[in-house]
Amino acid sequence: MKNILELKDLNISIKNQKSIVEDINLNINESQTVALVGESGSGKSMIAHSILNLLPNSSFEANGKILFENDNILNLNAKQLLQLRGNKISMIFQEPMTALNPLHTVFHQIEEIITVHNPMQKNILEKEVYSLLEKVELQKYGKLEKIAASYPHELSGGQRQRVMIAIAIANNPKLLIADEPTTALDLTIQYQILNLLKKIQKDYKMSILLITHDLAVVKKYSDFIYVIHQGKIVEKNNTKELFENPENEYTKLLLKSKKEFSDYDITNKKQILEVKDLSVKFPITKGIFKRVVDHFVAVDTLNFSIFKGECFGIIGESGSGKSTLAQAILKLVDSKGDINFLDTNINSLRKKELREFRCHMQIVFQDPFNSLNPRMSILAIVSEGLDIHTQLNNEEKKQKVIEILKEVDMPYDCIYRYPHEFSGGQRQRIAVARALILNPKLLILDEPTSALDRQVQFSLLTLLKKLQKKYDLTYIFISHDLEVIRGICNRVAVMKEGSIIEENHTNKLFNNPSEEYTQELIRASQ
């Protein structure tokens, strides 16, 4: 089998400082999918960027060989690199909204990558752009002309990722680097995107370097696996052998990071939350005077109950209404119906009463980097709720912050540091501490693990279970990761298009789902 890319003794370091990756040896053959697996900070993306020589020379130093078509990419000049990038080697980035230019239409961005490497007549170019949009199956979402004329913010996450793939394959590359291409996507969309990549790979006979921390993705879509830990390759093998007979302790640890089923008997437990006929509608306006012409129904007449001490899971795709439901329960968006929490209908509370009531219900958001104020120290962030709801002095507040940070396994001396100084998992622990400092009765967790590696997910879920048991907390856990849901929730509701279509105990729902949509979600996760 012909070798496409070979990394020989690759070392990457910050100039005049420590090494980030050491002695990397990696081979990719023709039409092969090779996975590079490891947690955040292990050096995966650094290797990917070095293959295209995208690391800034002023900050990083790379030594060794990256051989592609007998040339060492590290020795190529700017003109040669321009001919290589987006032409013979392409890359799909983790977050398409950041990677795509917000000021240009989809058509212009695909057109640009083609004309840089292969100038052609306008009518032929137009046909080529629409042909690429068809190859990534964007016609499923409406007329191609409308999608081509759209800007990135007008498309969904899955549609944007398809546009990224269209740009990546525009010049029929020999190697496609996919850097966490499905991390931010729902299960069914992940499934569609990865199947699309496999189909395109077969059509184009290209090789793929798949960089991910998702072992379910690796098992299903890769031929060969390299496991990287702290900048070093610790194990390599074909996919089947590596999953069946891992040799390295770190690989074994990754494969063992499974969530155990969490059981909970709600018999004779007190009801803490009851939602009756809850609906959320957003107005659709038209014209210069923004006249309301219709309403978009985000949540449609929901009914369910949650009992003290349980973890109630909500699953569904993006746009199903999960996060809107969470915001409605917290009275962050207007809704109709009853939200009976602690024997009080909070939909009938006045503003002042509601403010006093908020300390009993808190939320942890999906992305801690965006939900934590970058200008505030950890002390200020975590104590913010105490400023509003208590009369404690500064020393008392500081002591409470230190105590709650200890509960989430964060050192006391982090209180004077800022969010950017922590990893994703540490930031999420800080977000949990902020939510818990007021001793709430109900904690809503909105996709709290979706941006985290499997190992970090596992440790965070272990922490949440410990805290739940210690403080008798009630959780609403929103996620599209079914493995996470199965590991922490005792009951699960499935949402689709604003409605709950199925609800059951976790093991019953996973073992015997009644709805076709639920069956599809479970199939996509396996």
Side-chain angles (χ1 to χ4, degrees):
M1 196 177 285
K2 187 181 177 184
N3 194 300
I4 288 291
L5 183 81
E6 185 178 5
L7 273 58
K8 283 186 173 182
D9 301 322
L10 178 67
N11 290 273
I12 303 171
S13 59
I14 301 172
K15 283 196 172 176
N16 304 318
Q17 293 185 45
K18 64 175 184 176
S19 294
I20 299 169
V21 298
E22 297 178 40
D23 302 323
I24 301 298
N25 291 281
L26 182 149
N27 292 297
I28 302 175
N29 295 325
E30 195 174 58
S31 302
Q32 185 184 34
T33 300
V34 170
L36 184 59
V37 181
E39 55 194 13
S40 288
S42 59
K44 305 188 303 293
S45 292
M46 298 294 287
I47 292 169
H49 285 78
S50 69
I51 291 171
L52 284 170
N53 211 337
L54 291 173
L55 298 174
N57 294 328
S58 58
S59 306
F60 295 94
E61 194 170 15
N63 298 305
K65 292 181 180 180
I66 301 174
L67 300 173
F68 180 78
E69 294 185 335
N70 299 318
D71 290 323
N72 185 359
I73 293 172
L74 296 177
N75 295 334
L76 298 182
N77 59 38
K79 188 177 179 182
Q80 290 169 320
L81 285 170
L82 184 64
Q83 287 301 311
L84 181 76
R85 295 170 182 158
N87 188 23
K88 294 179 179 180
I89 303 178
S90 285
M91 191 165 181
I92 302 170
F93 296 93
Q94 181 172 353
E95 180 45 69
M97 189 62 189
T98 306
L100 294 171
N101 191 324
L103 302 177
H104 293 298
T105 63
V106 167
F107 185 93
H108 180 82
Q109 295 188 60
I110 300 174
E111 175 188 59
E112 184 180 34
I113 192 69
I114 296 171
T115 51
V116 164
H117 298 286
N118 188 19
M120 57 181 71
Q121 291 179 357
K122 192 172 182 180
N123 61 330
I124 300 172
L125 179 61
E126 188 173 336
K127 285 180 183 177
E128 184 63 26
V129 171
Y130 284 110
S131 172
L132 285 164
L133 292 174
E134 274 189 33
K135 279 174 184 168
V136 296
E137 299 172 359
L138 275 163
Q139 67 273 15
K140 293 196 291 190
Y141 299 95
K143 290 184 177 180
L144 288 179
E145 290 80 4
K146 184 180 178 183
I147 291 169
S150 299
Y151 291 87
H153 73 273
E154 298 177 293
L155 304 176
S156 69
Q159 289 170 336
R160 286 194 290 265
Q161 200 61 289
R162 287 172 188 270
V163 171
M164 277 294 301
I165 294 170
I167 292 170
I169 65 168
N171 295 300
N172 194 7
K174 291 184 178 180
L175 174 65
L176 179 65
I177 302 169
D179 187 5
E180 300 276 12
T182 61
T183 299
L185 304 177
D186 295 327
L187 270 174
T188 49
I189 307 297
Q190 281 185 19
Y191 187 68
Q192 291 169 17
I193 293 294
L194 290 164
N195 282 341
L196 174 64
L197 280 174
K198 288 300 282 185
K199 179 176 175 288
I200 290 170
Q201 179 183 30
K202 191 176 178 181
D203 293 343
Y204 282 69
K205 293 183 173 58
M206 68 183 178
S207 304
I208 294 177
L209 175 60
L210 179 61
I211 295 170
T212 184
H213 62 258
D214 193 327
L215 293 170
V217 166
V218 168
K219 190 174 185 178
K220 192 182 290 186
Y221 294 97
S222 69
D223 303 312
F224 199 90
I225 300 172
Y226 288 84
V227 180
I228 186 169
H229 180 52
Q230 294 181 350
K232 296 180 179 179
I233 301 291
V234 294
E235 187 164 0
K236 60 179 181 178
N237 211 332
N238 67 67
T239 302
K240 188 172 184 294
E241 278 294 315
L242 189 132
F243 272 83
E244 290 179 358
N245 302 301
E247 294 178 359
N248 185 269
E249 286 304 313
Y250 176 71
T251 309
K252 290 176 183 177
L253 189 64
L254 281 179
L255 295 175
K256 278 183 183 175
S257 297
K258 299 282 183 184
K259 288 75 182 178
E260 296 175 4
F261 168 66
S262 182
D263 203 2
Y264 182 83
D265 186 7
I266 62 173
T267 310
N268 300 322
K269 295 290 182 181
K270 186 181 177 184
Q271 186 173 277
I272 192 171
L273 176 72
E274 183 184 23
V275 171
K276 285 184 179 179
D277 300 326
L278 185 70
S279 296
V280 179
K281 298 179 180 180
F282 296 111
I284 299 171
T285 58
K286 195 174 181 181
I288 193 169
F289 297 109
K290 302 295 181 185
R291 184 169 55 90
V292 176
V293 294
D294 203 352
H295 285 83
F296 170 71
V297 181
V299 173
D300 190 10
T301 325
L302 297 192
N303 294 275
F304 62 90
S305 299
I306 298 175
F307 297 86
K308 186 172 176 59
E310 77 166 326
C311 183
F312 186 79
I314 301 174
I315 62 175
E317 296 176 300
S318 289
S320 60
K322 305 187 303 294
S323 294
T324 304
L325 171 60
Q327 291 170 30
I329 291 170
L330 293 166
K331 282 292 288 175
L332 297 176
V333 296
D334 292 332
S335 63
K336 289 186 177 179
D338 295 334
I339 306 167
N340 294 309
F341 176 62
L342 299 178
D343 301 320
T344 303
N345 184 3
I346 61 173
N347 249 353
S348 64
L349 295 178
R350 290 190 291 271
K351 195 172 183 179
K352 185 180 179 183
E353 295 170 325
L354 180 63
R355 179 171 174 162
E356 293 170 357
F357 212 74
R358 283 199 190 281
C359 64
H360 300 306
M361 43 183 15
Q362 294 291 305
I363 187 167
V364 176
F365 294 98
Q366 178 174 357
D367 185 355
F369 193 74
N370 286 327
S371 66
L372 302 178
N373 191 325
R375 292 190 176 92
M376 292 170 67
S377 69
I378 303 308
L379 175 62
I381 288 169
V382 179
S383 66
E384 201 170 13
L386 297 175
D387 298 338
I388 297 167
H389 293 283
T390 73
Q391 302 295 320
L392 300 176
N393 62 41
N394 289 339
E395 190 55 40
E396 289 170 330
K397 281 188 278 192
K398 179 182 172 182
Q399 193 55 43
K400 269 195 165 293
V401 170
I402 291 171
E403 287 170 6
I404 201 67
L405 286 171
K406 186 179 179 183
E407 289 284 6
V408 298
D409 299 329
M410 291 295 292
Y412 77 93
D413 59 356
C414 75
I415 60 174
Y416 298 115
R417 292 162 67 188
Y418 291 82
H420 72 273
E421 298 179 73
F422 298 92
S423 69
Q426 289 173 321
R427 284 195 289 264
Q428 202 59 293
R429 286 171 183 266
I430 292 163
V432 171
R434 176 178 63 178
L436 290 181
I437 200 161
L438 291 170
N439 299 315
K441 303 291 188 295
L442 175 68
L443 186 60
I444 298 177
L445 300 134
D446 189 1
E447 300 274 14
T449 62
S450 65
L452 306 177
D453 298 327
R454 273 289 187 251
Q455 273 297 105
V456 183
Q457 282 184 6
F458 183 67
S459 63
L460 183 62
L461 292 180
T462 303
L463 171 70
L464 289 171
K465 284 182 180 180
K466 183 188 86 172
L467 294 170
Q468 184 179 31
K469 189 174 181 180
K470 183 172 182 177
Y471 293 106
D472 199 19
L473 287 166
T474 305
Y475 292 155
I476 296 177
F477 202 104
I478 297 168
S479 182
H480 66 257
D481 190 326
L482 270 62
E483 190 184 343
V484 167
I485 286 286
R486 193 168 193 171
I488 195 169
C489 300
N490 59 285
R491 284 193 302 142
V492 182
V494 182
M495 283 193 73
K496 184 183 181 185
E497 295 173 356
S499 299
I500 291 177
I501 61 168
E502 186 169 1
E503 181 192 327
N504 212 331
H505 292 279
T506 306
N507 59 340
K508 290 179 181 176
L509 185 130
F510 276 84
N511 293 332
N512 190 25
S514 60
E515 294 290 327
E516 175 59 34
Y517 176 72
T518 311
Q519 293 167 17
E520 186 185 338
L521 284 177
I522 292 170
R523 277 196 301 271
S525 71
Q526 292 170 343

